[in-house]
Amino acid sequence: MEADDPAPRGGAPPRIRRLEESVVNRIAAGEVIQRPSSAVKELVENSIDAGASTVSVTVKDGGLKLIQVSDDGHGIRCEDLPILCERHTTSKLSAYEDLQTIKSMGFRGEALASMTYVGHVTVTTITEGQLHGYRVSYRDGVMENDPKPCAAVKGTQVMVENLFYNMVARRKTLQNSNDDYPKIVDFISRFAVHHINVNLSCRKHGANRADVHSGTTSSRLDAIRNVYGASVVRDLMEIQVSDENAVDEIFKMDGFISNANYVAKKTTMILFINDRLVDCTSLKRATEFVYSAILPQASKPFIYMSINLPPEHVDVNIHPTKKEVSLLNQERIIEKIKDAIEEKLMNCNNTRIFQTQALNSSALTQANTRKDKGTEVSTPTGEKSQKIPVSQMVRTDPRDPSGRLHTYWQGQTSNLEKKSDLVAVRNIVRSRRNPKDASDLSSRHELVTEIDSNLHPGLFDIVKNCTYVGVADEVFALIQHNTLLYLVNVVNVSKELMYQQALCRFGNFNAIQLSEPAPLLELLTMALKDDESMSDVNEKEKLEIAEVNTEILKENAEMINEYFSIHIDQGGNLTRLPVVLDQYTPDMDRLPEFMLTLGNDIAWDVEKECFRTAAAAIGNFYALHPPILPNPSGKGIRLYKKNKDSMESAGQADNDLTSTEEDDIDQELLAEAEAAWAQREWTIQHVLFPSMRLFLKPPKSMATDGTFVQIASLDKLYKIFERC
């Protein structure tokens, strides 16, 4: 082969060429800056080396679009800016021997240079005593222009944009911006734990809140608490190891390790050697081996260690990114740390805390009581019960919310306070005090006996063991019982529940105090005006009827106050109403109708009938009727348009929902309607159904009047799907 041939022939060896400097620099840059988190680590270490007390990191698109690191360190001299980003320019050392005693984290002078070969770097800096700072941009290791004077705060700001813009393959592997940001946060978190005198923060570009923010503190535990949370600190133990008496080595280690109660899926090991964040696989493996004998198999420890050695015993120049170091007598150091951790864990292993999980009571109940066909399976008690067939495996625990419709509604949960069913039960039980003598009336006992004798056993079992699913429409709600799905008429069941509660709490009601007394005459007049059956009656006659009913109620005020806690003062004003269900207040828009019913429909002369009709009137008033305002969801929002003509035209175009403009909506009325319907929905789930399970005794009539309607059976559906 001739000397000037550009390519080898046959089996001849290829020609060796000297690479261009730009190629060499880009290859070296790819080793030093492997990913955005590598650049952040290098810049933060430079800031700490510069004596900064505050370091702020801002990242955009995982660091590919922007990395900005600002500090309040000593800054960079203006005369040093021309060579700042050249390879192997550094202020950390001047001779190779200096590596033996190096204490700074950076020393090669490669990091900034590497960033300029794979990104666009802009540096803004000011030193103490200067009147202004300087800003300069770099590319391929050199300045793109002369330093420009600018306003600046103390310290240095380095901005790296479009990282890996000229490395297509590297950029493609890092396209997902979510990949590297957690690594950046992890780096900053580790620095924050160790450098407790430095205020470190990290946030995404445009975010108002930092993902990591560590204030300066004098306590390492406080730093760990700020970054990793109080739950981690609770299970940490301090550990210290030293070997100062050894002739050939001076070794100190202090830190915090988790005890046997700490539970995590991944090992967290924060290791600093001479204030340098590094990895040590052999040390990590040794500590995990110690913990494996104490922790459950799936649990991993939390470890923070700070090891101090003489600088000459540490070789920091063994890895391109300085993530690993080599220690003199490394095996001995690891063995000593391992023994200290083992001893510490053995001494703290006197007490253990185990996380427990409550047994599924409904599953136990089904396992012990169901007689369905199937293979046998052992229960927790050791007894054998029948296995539930696949076609009957359903969630039936009413306390488990995972099957409710609200679980699958995103962005439409109510802002109402969601009080637990336990609170409702506690309040109801608390209110069951010793009844007054009034509750011993024979007519009242007869009415309660009628409720018991008219009980439908099947519906009673459904109500006691049902699971609330969700609201179906304005009137019906969905419940599940075993493998069956039912529609329940909320108005009917709430009316019956309130009627029964009125009789059960007879003479023993708590009271709702009205904010202002309501004149009976005005309430009755309002009710008569709204009564369609009274449309043919003139206003004068309506007023007379209202006056008569007012007098009737005033005459019987003492009785209805004693038995039902409905208080009417001598002036004919309503001041109090009974609490029929705890945590529930009736719809006051129906108060006029309620007072008219009391005055007009109660059989005051016959005791038993009087109690029955009064309790029925209370049941109807307290029942969960749909709010008077129409439901604004879906097409119902058209009813809240200010322009009635446009509302009619909108009714003709059923599918044109976008025609309802915000400006055409009565927002105040709409907000009132939304609040009313949301309140009703919350009350159905958190007040009505828990109270039903406790107190409702469904009458036989509910089995045939459409109050309970079965709409689906899992057994039948399973057979249909099997055929499909």
Side-chain angles (χ1 to χ4, degrees), residues 243-251 309-310 313 328-329 332:
D243 194 16
E244 297 182 4
N245 295 326
V247 177
D248 57 344
E249 183 178 23
I250 298 176
F251 155 60
L309 290 163
H313 292 175
L328 187 65
N329 297 320
R332 179 179 175 181

Side-chain angles (χ1 to χ4, degrees), residues 196-391:
I196 59 177
N197 296 321
V198 180
N199 188 346
L200 288 130
S201 66
C202 178
R203 74 181 71 223
K204 288 184 178 180
H205 179 72
N208 295 325
R209 184 178 179 182
D211 293 294
V212 178
H213 183 79
S214 67
T216 57
T217 176
S218 59
S219 168
R220 189 82 62 195
L221 276 179
D222 287 342
I224 297 175
R225 182 183 293 107
N226 291 339
V227 176
Y228 290 97
S231 59
V232 173
V233 173
R234 183 175 59 244
D235 295 323
L236 294 186
M237 306 178 293
E238 188 173 7
I239 185 170
Q240 293 181 340
V241 184
S242 63
D243 194 16
E244 297 182 4
N245 295 326
V247 177
D248 57 344
E249 183 178 23
I250 298 176
F251 155 60
K252 288 183 180 179
M253 188 276 281
D254 63 87
F256 291 91
I257 60 173
S258 57
N259 59 26
N261 295 322
Y262 180 78
V263 178
K265 296 181 180 179
K266 183 180 179 182
T267 299
T268 301
M269 184 168 185
I270 306 171
L271 176 61
F272 281 82
I273 298 179
N274 288 0
D275 295 327
R276 185 186 304 278
L277 178 63
V278 295
D279 292 335
C280 184
T281 305
S282 54
L283 178 57
K284 182 178 181 181
R285 191 183 300 118
T287 54
E288 286 183 331
F289 177 78
V290 174
Y291 274 97
S292 64
I294 297 175
L295 294 180
Q297 186 175 2
S299 296
K300 302 297 180 181
F302 180 98
I303 303 164
Y304 162 75
M305 291 184 190
S306 177
I307 300 175
N308 289 292
L309 290 163
E312 60 269 20
H313 292 175
V314 183
D315 187 356
V316 297
N317 192 28
I318 67 169
H319 194 277
T321 62
K322 305 187 291 291
K323 67 179 292 187
E324 295 179 3
V325 295
S326 178
L327 307 180
L328 187 65
N329 297 320
Q330 179 169 303
E331 293 78 8
R332 179 179 175 181
I333 293 173
I334 292 175
E335 189 66 26
K336 197 162 186 67
I337 293 174
K338 174 186 167 186
D339 292 342
I341 293 175
E342 188 172 13
E343 181 182 359
K344 193 78 174 177
L345 289 174
M346 294 301 294
N347 291 336
C348 82
N349 202 27
N350 296 329
T351 60
R352 295 288 295 273
I353 298 174
F354 295 95
Q355 301 295 326
T356 61
Q357 181 176 356
L359 291 175
N360 189 330
S361 60
S362 63
L364 292 177
T365 303
Q366 289 184 356
N368 291 323
T369 60
R370 293 182 66 85
K371 303 300 181 182
D372 300 313
K373 293 181 180 180
T375 58
E376 292 185 342
V377 63
S378 296
T379 64
T381 60
E383 299 176 358
K384 292 203 170 181
S385 63
Q386 295 179 351
K387 182 180 178 182
I388 302 173
V390 177
S391 61

Side-chain angles (χ1 to χ4, degrees), residues 306-506:
S306 177
I307 300 175
N308 289 292
L309 290 163
E312 60 269 20
H313 292 175
V314 183
D315 187 356
V316 297
N317 192 28
I318 67 169
H319 194 277
T321 62
K322 305 187 291 291
K323 67 179 292 187
E324 295 179 3
V325 295
S326 178
L327 307 180
L328 187 65
N329 297 320
Q330 179 169 303
E331 293 78 8
R332 179 179 175 181
I333 293 173
I334 292 175
E335 189 66 26
K336 197 162 186 67
I337 293 174
K338 174 186 167 186
D339 292 342
I341 293 175
E342 188 172 13
E343 181 182 359
K344 193 78 174 177
L345 289 174
M346 294 301 294
N347 291 336
C348 82
N349 202 27
N350 296 329
T351 60
R352 295 288 295 273
I353 298 174
F354 295 95
Q355 301 295 326
T356 61
Q357 181 176 356
L359 291 175
N360 189 330
S361 60
S362 63
L364 292 177
T365 303
Q366 289 184 356
N368 291 323
T369 60
R370 293 182 66 85
K371 303 300 181 182
D372 300 313
K373 293 181 180 180
T375 58
E376 292 185 342
V377 63
S378 296
T379 64
T381 60
E383 299 176 358
K384 292 203 170 181
S385 63
Q386 295 179 351
K387 182 180 178 182
I388 302 173
V390 177
S391 61
Q392 298 177 2
M393 293 177 66
V394 294
R395 178 192 62 77
T396 56
D397 186 358
R399 297 167 298 180
D400 182 5
S402 60
R404 296 174 184 161
L405 291 180
H406 283 285
T407 309
Y408 309 98
W409 291 352
Q410 299 297 327
Q412 298 196 11
T413 56
S414 170
N415 291 327
L416 297 169
E417 181 185 1
K418 297 185 176 181
K419 300 179 182 177
S420 66
D421 295 347
L422 183 59
V423 175
V425 174
R426 188 184 298 120
N427 290 336
I428 292 169
V429 172
R430 188 184 298 125
S431 67
R432 288 175 136 189
R433 302 185 299 269
N434 293 328
K436 300 177 182 178
D437 294 339
S439 60
D440 294 331
L441 293 171
S442 59
S443 53
R444 179 256 182 188
H445 277 294
E446 290 175 8
L447 292 173
V448 173
T449 303
E450 286 180 8
I451 293 174
D452 293 334
S453 62
N454 198 31
L455 173 69
H456 190 288
L459 292 181
F460 184 71
D461 179 62
I462 291 174
V463 169
K464 288 293 182 184
N465 301 295
C466 72
T467 301
Y468 176 80
V469 177
V471 174
D473 60 14
E474 286 82 354
V475 176
F476 288 93
L478 285 167
I479 63 170
Q480 172 195 321
H481 178 256
N482 292 337
T483 60
L484 304 178
L485 192 65
Y486 292 89
L487 277 176
V488 179
N489 189 309
V490 172
V491 177
N492 288 356
V493 294
S494 60
K495 188 182 296 185
E496 180 64 27
L497 175 64
M498 303 301 177
Y499 167 76
Q500 294 180 9
Q501 281 297 289
L503 292 175
C504 290
R505 297 191 177 198
F506 189 88

Side-chain angles (χ1 to χ4, degrees), residues 1-8 12-18:
M1 183 177 69
E2 297 180 5
D4 57 350
D5 285 348
R15 179 179 296 176
I16 297 175
R17 298 180 178 85
R18 180 178 286 107

